[in-house]
Amino acid sequence: MATLPNLRRLAIKYVEYSSASMAALSRLTALSYLELDNPASLPPPMALPALQRLCVSDEASVVAEEALDGMLQPLTQLVGLALGAVDVVPPAVGSLAQLQQLCIWRTELPAVALPAPHSLHRLRRLGLEWRVAAASVPALMAMPALQELWLRNAPDKSSARAEQWAAFWAWAAAHPPLRRLRLRPFLFIEHRHTPLTVCSHMTLEILMLVRSRPSLHVHLDHGSHTTFYDAFNAE
């Protein structure tokens, strides 16, 4: 690490490493992109002043909330963040005032909510599980720049409280900056897609939304060879 002070992109994947060994990252003062897939061994808190994008990507294990929150706190300059190993959204996410892209995905992620109030006033693109989006309407309402929302999986009506779904669809119909809604009703498991059925209630709500907002581009992704994050990150 000490011999690569100008390194800008780093992905550490498919290898074992310790949290202590990650302390060497602090020497990479030009690092702008970092991807890790071992959430059990996150780097200790460090400034990394040039870091713009961070991805913690392993769905197989769950990162300790305190460790991830501590790692994020000094990274106030982040413009892109992707988390695929969380059961709870770290509070520090709400303090990343420069963030423009946020993607949180996990197959078993419960209907937790994004932090509110927050400082995500510059966020333009957001990728979430449907249930998390339904539980996060107060946070969504405080995102004046949000133009694009990606929703993963296809929950039924009972996956969130009725009032949460009602609030979500009302927000989607009235949020002025929203330009694009991308739906991916399938899971990417073992390098293949498993289609999920969108229940009749969700289908009806989508049709009503399209009718109420003709200018809103609603894209239903029937399947591709990329994961949710890879597709989100590619655009």
Side-chain angles (χ1 to χ4, degrees), residues 92-233:
V93 169
S95 301
L96 301 176
Q98 305 302 315
L99 209 61
Q100 297 180 29
Q101 296 189 20
L102 173 63
C103 184
I104 300 175
W105 79 101
R106 181 171 168 77
T107 302
E108 301 299 329
L109 188 67
V112 297
L114 294 176
H118 58 69
S119 301
L120 303 176
H121 306 309
R122 297 188 179 187
L123 197 69
R124 296 183 296 104
R125 302 178 71 233
L126 176 63
L128 293 173
E129 302 285 337
W130 282 67
R131 296 166 297 171
V132 177
S136 301
V137 172
L140 295 175
M141 293 176 66
M143 296 177 182
L146 186 62
Q147 299 177 10
E148 189 171 331
L149 179 62
W150 290 50
L151 297 177
R152 179 179 184 259
N153 296 352
D156 57 34
K157 185 179 180 180
S158 62
S159 61
R161 298 195 308 270
E163 60 269 26
Q164 290 180 324
W165 281 124
F168 171 76
W169 293 114
W171 169 84
H175 187 62
L178 192 64
R179 297 290 181 267
R180 186 182 187 196
L181 182 63
R182 183 154 183 169
L183 313 176
R184 288 172 64 92
F186 53 82
L187 295 178
F188 192 76
I189 302 174
E190 295 180 353
H191 306 289
R192 71 178 188 275
H193 286 94
T194 301
L196 301 174
T197 300
V198 180
C199 72
S200 58
H201 173 78
M202 293 291 126
T203 302
L204 179 60
E205 292 289 355
I206 294 169
L207 291 174
M208 293 174 61
L209 176 63
V210 171
R211 288 184 178 180
S212 67
R213 295 193 66 170
S215 62
L216 179 64
H217 178 64
V218 179
H219 179 84
L220 181 62
D221 195 337
H222 294 286
S224 66
H225 297 291
T226 58
T227 64
F228 181 66
Y229 168 66
D230 289 338
F232 181 89
N233 194 45

